[in-house]
Amino acid sequence: MRYDRKFTSENKNNNNDNKTMAQQQTVFSAVQPSGELHIGNYLGALKNFVELQDKYNCFFFIADYHSITENYDPKEKPRQIFDLALDFLAIGLDPKKCTIAIQSQIPEHTELAWIFNTVTPLTELQRMTQFKDKSQQQDKNINMGLLDYPVLQAADILMYKADAVPVGQDQIQHIELTRKIARFFNNKFCNTFPEPKNIITETSKIMSLTNPTKKMSKSHGPKSYIGINDKPEIIQKKMRKAVSTTEYNKDIYNFYATLLKKFGSEKNKRCFNEKLKNQDIKFSELKNALAEDIANYFKDFREKRKELKKNPEKIKRILNEGSKGARFVAQETMKEVKEKVGLVL
Ligand code: AMP
């Protein structure tokens, strides 16, 4: 069952003729609304989302249920959900080309997660790296949701029978588990779910500004990342304080080479690539140039986001329409699943 686009008014005038055979392939991914997006999220996932929406039947979700497994302030959550929707749209996701939806607006996701719980061995969840990392980060709040996180993720993905999932490197283990859960279910009941593959970019793990051996992450504090909505002066300030070295250090050199490759102007690439190669670099100059290039790269995004923010009703309408369309597919999947599991009288 594929999502029939005629169910959302945003898609009514949609001309999908350019999505030929590839459109039959479904892509699903989600991002948690847990604070601002950083350039790691962009290079690892969002940049890919924008490219994929032209070729495939894409679902991009705001994973709000996942985000409440972390420490958070309930008063902040609605704004974080709204902000992530703004980010999605300003970066170039187009509701005429893809479905943008909110996880908690589709209750079938938690229903399917419960059924998947019954086919997933506990030991599979206990060995997940992210569970171990997060349990350390929030040692006073090791809740069941944190352990069950990948099962809900599998429900999100398999609900739409996705063929592929664009994610950063940190999610590969979870996608492997999603494949296993599909297999567990198919073996126990009947062939129902495909085993989705992951789609990884060449920059699937962007490192922290302050420690280039660690992944860039919101949880390490704002000094460790550049937000895609950061103002140019903030980017300058963060870059100035970013890691540097007087001697050759592979991690640090790789970190700057990646940023230069992805965001650098042609002139800066020519100038600094050579210097990095010859280990003859003045980090203050490179950081200054990179800060400017990154700020320029996201200039259109910042402006578009500011414009979109002026019309919150439009954003809410897009989210409601997207969620309604996605729910139609989810209900079809759950009907099939419940029959196979033996829950239909
Ligand atoms: P999250 O904020 O955990 O929902 O992540 C959203 C997406 O960004 C996921 O696909 C992650 O794998 C990806 N991601 C997060 N951090 C990084 C990073 N430092 N480098 C590359 N991709 C990342």
Side-chain angles (χ1 to χ4, degrees), residues 56-274:
Y56 300 98
N57 180 27
C58 288
F59 291 84
F60 297 117
F61 266 60
I62 295 177
D64 53 349
Y65 272 151
H66 277 113
S67 74
I68 62 170
T69 61
E70 296 180 354
N71 296 323
Y72 78 104
D73 178 354
K75 286 195 217 85
E76 286 287 303
K77 195 49 72 184
R79 191 187 50 78
Q80 289 177 332
I81 294 170
F82 181 77
D83 281 356
L84 183 55
L86 281 180
D87 290 336
F88 272 6
L89 295 166
I91 208 72
L93 291 187
D94 179 350
K96 292 195 180 76
K97 295 179 180 173
C98 66
T99 299
I100 301 171
I102 301 181
Q103 185 185 36
S104 69
Q105 290 195 9
I106 301 148
E108 286 75 13
H109 283 235
T110 43
E111 275 189 78
L112 185 57
W114 182 257
I115 290 172
F116 284 166
N117 274 334
T118 66
V119 299
T120 308
L122 178 61
T123 46
E124 291 284 351
L125 299 175
Q126 284 167 327
R127 64 180 194 81
M128 291 292 113
T129 314
Q130 183 176 288
F131 172 64
K132 290 180 194 160
D133 289 348
K134 287 198 176 175
S135 298
Q136 274 180 1
Q137 277 166 25
Q138 51 185 75
D139 57 352
K140 305 256 174 339
N141 180 18
I142 307 176
N143 59 74
M144 265 303 294
L146 217 49
L147 180 71
D148 209 28
Y149 184 112
V151 178
L152 179 58
Q153 190 171 353
D156 294 346
I157 297 165
L158 297 176
M159 185 69 86
Y160 303 95
K161 303 195 172 172
D163 301 286
V165 190
V167 282
Q169 215 183 87
D170 57 342
Q171 292 298 323
I172 292 179
Q173 199 185 29
H174 287 175
I175 310 306
E176 272 165 16
L177 182 57
T178 295
R179 278 199 290 276
K180 275 193 188 172
I181 292 175
R183 219 173 303 146
F184 292 147
F185 185 97
N186 291 343
N187 288 341
K188 184 162 181 181
F189 303 105
C190 167
N191 222 2
T192 308
F193 296 108
E195 291 184 28
K197 55 177 192 288
N198 52 51
I199 305 178
I200 295 288
T201 62
E202 64 166 356
T203 45
S204 59
K205 190 175 184 183
I206 299 298
M207 299 313 208
S208 155
L209 288 183
T210 46
N211 181 351
T213 63
K214 285 215 157 75
K215 179 190 84 150
M216 183 176 281
S217 164
K218 279 167 266 190
S219 55
H220 299 138
K223 281 187 194 146
S224 67
Y225 65 83
I226 291 176
I228 60 173
N229 195 36
D230 276 347
K231 293 194 178 88
E233 57 273 24
I234 300 287
I235 300 179
Q236 277 289 353
K237 208 166 142 189
K238 287 183 178 177
M239 277 306 260
R240 230 176 284 137
K241 293 198 173 146
V243 66
S244 53
T245 177
T246 47
E247 283 164 27
Y248 175 72
N249 174 302
K250 189 169 158 265
D251 295 322
I252 297 179
Y253 272 62
N254 281 347
F255 170 73
Y256 286 108
T258 302
L259 294 189
L260 193 60
K261 184 172 179 194
K262 292 294 157 186
F263 299 117
S265 66
E266 286 312 311
K267 181 173 147 261
N268 284 335
K269 273 187 200 159
R270 267 196 308 275
C271 165
F272 290 104
N273 268 334
E274 199 57 27

Side-chain angles (χ1 to χ4, degrees), residues 236 240 244 272 281-290:
Q236 277 289 353
R240 230 176 284 137
S244 53
F272 290 104
I281 193 95
K282 238 184 162 177
F283 278 98
S284 56
E285 283 176 6
L286 172 60
K287 288 182 192 182
N288 194 35
L290 266 178

